[in-house]
Amino acid sequence: MALIACPECGHQVSTLARSCPSCGAPVAAAPADAPPRREPVVTAGLLGKVVAAIAWLVVPWVVRLVAFVAGIVMLIVMFATAR
């Protein structure tokens, strides 16, 4: 990726950009011999959906486990201190 000057405003623009972010003027297209850009397989949207699904399935079990362990500890303390 190289930087070129925008033909309209002169700001630095990436050669991969389709238009200047400053003024919106179109920038020359990438050379024809350049390999096409591939989209990533794992995107932020897909990753967010996977994390949400895992959290939706796992969080209730973790909460129940913590409550169960807290109840057991409370029973142990209650029986240990009662004489």
Side-chain angles (χ1 to χ4, degrees), residues 38-62:
R38 295 187 319 179
E39 293 295 323
V41 176
V42 178
T43 61
L46 175 65
L47 192 59
K49 289 176 185 173
V50 169
V51 168
I54 290 173
W56 184 76
L57 294 172
V58 172
V59 168
W61 293 100
V62 171

Side-chain angles (χ1 to χ4, degrees), residues 9-58:
C9 65
H11 283 92
Q12 295 292 319
V13 181
S14 168
T15 55
L16 300 177
R18 295 177 190 236
S19 63
C20 175
S22 180
C23 68
V27 179
D33 60 347
R37 291 179 47 182
R38 295 187 319 179
E39 293 295 323
V41 176
V42 178
T43 61
L46 175 65
L47 192 59
K49 289 176 185 173
V50 169
V51 168
I54 290 173
W56 184 76
L57 294 172
V58 172

Side-chain angles (χ1 to χ4, degrees), residues 73-83:
V73 169
M74 186 175 61
L75 286 173
I76 291 171
V77 169
M78 286 171 55
F79 284 115
T81 57
R83 294 181 189 207

